[in-house]
Amino acid sequence: MKILVTGKNGQLARSLAVRAQGHDIEIVLAGRPEIDHANPSTFVSVLKSVAPHLVINAAAHTGVDQQEDEPQRAFRINAEAPAELARLTRLAAIPIIQVSTDYVFDGKSSEPYAETDKPNPQTVYGLSKLAGEQAVRSENPDHLVVRTAWVFSRYGRNFVKTILSAAQTRKRLQVVADQFGNPTEAHDLADGLLAAARFWREHQGFLQGLYHLAGQGRASWYEVARQILEISKAMGGPIADVEPIVGDQWVAKAPRPANSELNSERFAHDFGYRAGDWRDRVSSAVGNIIADSVTCHDIR
């Protein structure tokens, strides 16, 4: 089975390439300049040359604050490009998996969000990603929309790497303690999407079109930061004290959801897969990042 994955330099794309090894699945990563979501006319030639059995759209404009100043670009990349990709895959009889976000919700619920809960995005990012979901559903009936949250890994930019980097130069960090979600390791997300891909191969279709897939366990950003630095200290990595603050003390253009927990039970039921516990996965990621840093230092 050949899967075309967009966003080749992102956390999810790189994790998919690693996790597909040994599973009779060929991952073809594509990104700029050969495929550019700001220029959807680039999609046709890549789809023809790769001829995939399935497409996973993992590319997105994820600069949440930046998008408040450039909504047209956000909708171009997060909504119009997925719409065109879904249209082209429908014409070629190729299923598509669209990766979406917890930001489609307003964060006001006291319970984890289920797929049946009504979206109410409060940011340009959330609005553009919800528009992308709707476009994919409209353009290609053979689709899967998978919402996830708080993705981290040893690759790219993410909260775990940001905290470790900040601890190298600062003795005390302030981290928001009243915003909650499900930290999700990118390899877990990749494993879940590959489970869905295998299901499609065996059954020639998906049971439903919308799922949530996020890490197990509820956490605040403050709790995650403490876990990161505790593991880092134990491994001889950078350390710092962490001070809890409320979200209103953290100046940002785009509001963050107070609670963006996702209920992933539907995905577990239909595909037989659950992501790991966030504490275990954060600990492993910190170890890998520190090991990568030591290796790079040794090479230099």
Side-chain angles (χ1 to χ4, degrees):
M1 183 181 193
K2 184 188 295 186
I3 301 177
L4 173 64
V5 181
T6 65
K8 67 179 180 182
N9 294 317
Q11 298 184 81
L12 177 55
R14 295 173 69 178
S15 297
L16 282 163
V18 170
R19 301 305 249 195
Q21 296 176 12
H23 287 284
D24 192 29
I25 293 176
E26 177 186 357
I27 297 291
V28 179
L29 302 182
R32 292 180 295 182
E34 65 267 24
I35 188 168
D36 186 352
H37 278 54
N39 181 16
S41 64
T42 58
F43 294 166
V44 174
S45 61
V46 174
L47 283 171
K48 286 184 177 179
S49 63
V50 175
H53 300 104
L54 184 147
V55 170
I56 297 178
N57 184 32
H61 183 348
T62 57
V64 177
D65 290 322
Q66 180 184 356
Q67 290 181 46
E68 295 298 308
D69 294 326
E70 48 183 45
Q72 289 184 336
R73 183 167 183 265
F75 274 85
R76 177 70 166 171
I77 295 172
N78 293 341
E80 295 172 21
E84 177 63 5
L85 192 57
R87 185 186 72 85
L88 293 171
T89 51
R90 171 178 55 82
L91 293 175
I94 301 170
I96 184 171
I97 297 178
Q98 170 73 8
V99 181
S100 193
T101 175
D102 54 327
Y103 273 72
V104 301
F105 297 111
D106 58 21
K108 297 178 182 179
S109 175
S110 60
E111 300 293 330
Y113 285 97
E115 292 84 350
T116 52
D117 288 321
K118 185 178 180 180
N120 185 26
Q122 303 295 298
T123 63
V124 171
Y125 174 60
L127 287 164
S128 65
K129 290 295 288 183
L130 180 60
E133 291 184 11
Q134 294 167 340
V136 168
R137 293 190 195 119
S138 175
E139 293 291 347
N140 189 340
D142 196 0
H143 70 264
L144 193 67
V145 173
V146 179
R147 296 172 180 152
T148 192
W150 295 28
V151 178
F152 65 91
S153 69
R154 68 199 299 176
Y155 314 120
R157 298 178 181 178
N158 57 71
F159 184 73
V160 175
K161 297 183 81 172
T162 296
I163 291 295
L164 290 173
S165 177
Q168 291 179 336
T169 58
R170 294 158 57 188
K171 295 182 179 180
R172 190 171 189 82
L173 309 178
Q174 292 184 323
V175 180
V176 174
D178 62 348
Q179 295 171 0
F180 298 89
N182 306 111
T184 308
E185 211 281 328
H187 289 103
D188 279 354
L189 178 57
D191 286 341
L193 296 185
L194 291 173
R198 289 192 293 271
F199 182 97
W200 184 91
R201 180 172 59 184
E202 294 169 8
H203 301 277
Q204 292 300 297
F206 301 113
L207 292 176
Q208 301 177 72
L210 175 62
Y211 291 88
H212 292 170
L213 177 56
Q216 293 188 56
R218 178 180 191 262
S220 68
W221 293 115
Y222 170 71
E223 290 174 306
V224 179
R226 287 195 60 182
Q227 177 77 1
I228 293 165
L229 292 171
E230 286 175 7
I231 300 302
S232 179
K233 180 179 180 180
M235 296 190 65
I239 59 174
D241 293 327
V242 187
E243 175 189 350
I245 61 172
V246 298
D248 291 342
Q249 293 177 265
W250 187 263
V251 179
K253 288 187 177 182
R256 268 56 173 179
N259 173 44
S260 61
E261 294 178 81
L262 298 178
N263 183 324
S264 301
E265 289 303 310
R266 175 185 285 186
F267 195 99
H269 179 270
D270 288 358
F271 298 115
Y273 178 81
R274 293 182 189 275
D277 179 82
W278 75 265
R279 290 185 182 276
D280 293 338
R281 296 302 195 255
V282 165
S283 298
S284 296
V286 171
N288 288 328
I289 292 166
I290 291 175
D292 290 344
S293 177
V294 170
T295 301
C296 290
H297 179 76
D298 289 343
I299 291 173
R300 288 194 295 268

